[in-house]
Structure formats: structure tokens, C-alpha cells
Amino acid sequence: MKITVQHSIIKALLLHAGQKDTRNYVNAVAIDTTGSYPVLVATNGQSMLCYRLNAPIDIMDLERGVFIIPRELLDSAKPRKLRRGEEEPICIEIGPEQERISIRGVSVSSTFLECGRTINATYPYWRRVIPAGVSGEVAQFDPELLMLFKKASNLITGSKESPDIFHNGKGVAPVSISDRAFGVVMPLAANPNYSGYSPPDWTKKD
């Protein structure tokens, strides 16, 4: 099985992949070919980013399944620079029975080749966590997670615009970046110390 993807997309996905999670399949990017289109997915347990490739599965003639690519293998991919600061796309090829992964640049002059194996695990069923609707109830979010989505949006779209976040109260909130990039983010839990709040004395009027 072989797919080609812009390196900026991989970098955006890695922003939301785990780094030192005890669940090794979280420290990875999954390629899901079980639907109509191939989808790349990354999650850290608090946020998730999905990116749909352009061509349908049938046209690309891809093997069906969920293939988990280790983070370190994608981190080490260093495609060459093209004109205007762009990078060449990368090709991810998975051998028979997922025995071997190779990641390389698409051009014949590419100077890097990374090899490894897929992670033998069951990836979380990511479609299940995407809500069918939202309540509109305002929620609070970890600002670091929101910043990850903004960085991912910049990498995917090339724009400095922030993604759209749909508030959903205590439920996960959908995050829309483009027609091919979508995610969710967990809200912050209510602070149990609100009832005990009082401003510092030095902020009060004398």
C-alpha cells in the first residue's frame, strides 16, 4: 500500500499525536482505509486531528485496514526543500501484512529513506468520538490545545486564520479547519475551588 502526502500535513498531525504515552499506539499517526476515503488520524487523548486524503479508496486501490505509523519514524523524515520554502511531498509505503514501512521523498533526487514497522495494536475508533451535533453551551479549553490547533491549521491551509471551534458544553467540541481537516478537543473540567475564591487584599479598594 502506498500513499503520498504533503510533509506539512504530517507535521500538523504530529502536533496532536502523543509523545511519551504508555499506550504506544497513541504516539503515532494512523492511516485508516476502512471508509470511502483514506484518513490520517492523530490523538493525544485530549485532542484529535483527522485529515482526509483527496482520492477515494477505490481509485487509489488501497488495502483496507488501520495502519499505525510510529511517531519516531515520521519525526525522522526530512524531505528536501523546494522553491519558495516548500518541502517535497513524502511517500509512505506499507509492505505486505504490514511487515515493513518505508518513508521517502517522491522525487528521484530524494536523499532520505526511513524504514520501520507498523505498531501492532488496535487504534481507537476515532469516528465514535465525533459528535453528531453540538449544544452551543460555552465551554473552556486548555489554551495549549487550542494553540496546537492553530498551528495545525496554519500548516494545513497556509493561512494564519484560527480554526472554527463549536462549543458543546461538557462534551467534546468539534474543530473545523478545512473541508479535509477536522478535529475535536476536550473541554476543561469545572474548577472545584470556584466557591472558595476571593481576590487578593492588595487588589481591593483602600
Side-chain angles (χ1 to χ4, degrees):
M1 184 182 82
K2 183 188 299 184
I3 67 167
T4 299
V5 61
Q6 294 292 332
H7 191 231
S8 59
I9 303 301
I10 297 298
K11 290 192 288 188
L13 288 160
L14 288 175
L15 290 172
H16 292 272
Q19 298 190 45
K20 296 181 180 180
D21 200 289
T22 55
R23 302 162 295 177
N24 62 344
Y25 57 82
V26 174
N27 307 320
V29 171
I31 303 173
D32 187 337
T33 58
T34 60
S36 300
Y37 287 83
V39 179
L40 279 63
V41 186
T43 182
N44 54 31
Q46 298 297 313
S47 66
M48 179 179 74
L49 179 63
C50 312
Y51 183 82
R52 175 182 65 81
L53 296 185
N54 196 35
I57 295 284
D58 294 341
I59 292 178
M60 297 180 72
D61 194 25
L62 299 178
E63 180 182 348
R64 295 282 181 169
V66 180
F67 310 92
I68 309 175
I69 314 299
R71 178 191 186 101
E72 59 268 20
L73 199 59
L74 294 166
D75 267 333
S76 58
K78 305 296 181 185
R80 68 188 181 94
K81 298 288 185 180
L82 303 177
R83 289 181 296 179
R84 298 180 181 178
E86 297 179 353
E87 296 173 324
E88 68 172 333
I90 63 173
C91 175
I92 302 174
E93 187 169 1
I94 301 175
E97 300 181 1
Q98 305 185 39
E99 285 298 317
R100 178 181 173 87
I101 312 167
S102 65
I103 302 176
R104 57 179 174 78
V106 296
S107 67
V108 294
S109 59
S110 291
T111 57
F112 82 94
L113 173 65
E114 304 296 334
C115 298
R117 295 179 182 274
T118 58
I119 295 174
N120 184 17
T122 300
Y123 199 75
Y125 186 48
W126 57 273
R127 287 185 171 91
R128 184 179 297 141
V129 303
I130 297 177
V134 295
S135 67
E137 180 184 351
V138 175
Q140 292 183 321
F141 304 99
D142 185 333
E144 292 186 5
L145 294 178
L146 299 185
M147 184 56 66
L148 291 181
F149 273 110
K150 182 171 177 57
K151 290 180 179 178
S153 178
N154 293 348
L155 286 165
I156 292 170
T157 67
S159 167
K160 293 184 179 181
E161 297 292 326
S162 296
D164 294 322
I165 300 174
F166 300 89
H167 286 257
N168 195 27
K170 296 180 180 179
V172 296
V175 182
S176 179
I177 293 176
S178 72
D179 60 340
R180 291 168 57 186
F182 192 84
V184 295
V185 59
M186 290 287 293
L188 289 173
N191 189 330
N193 296 321
Y194 278 159
S195 59
Y197 166 77
S198 63
D201 289 340
W202 57 267
T203 65
K204 300 175 183 177
K205 184 178 181 180
D206 293 332

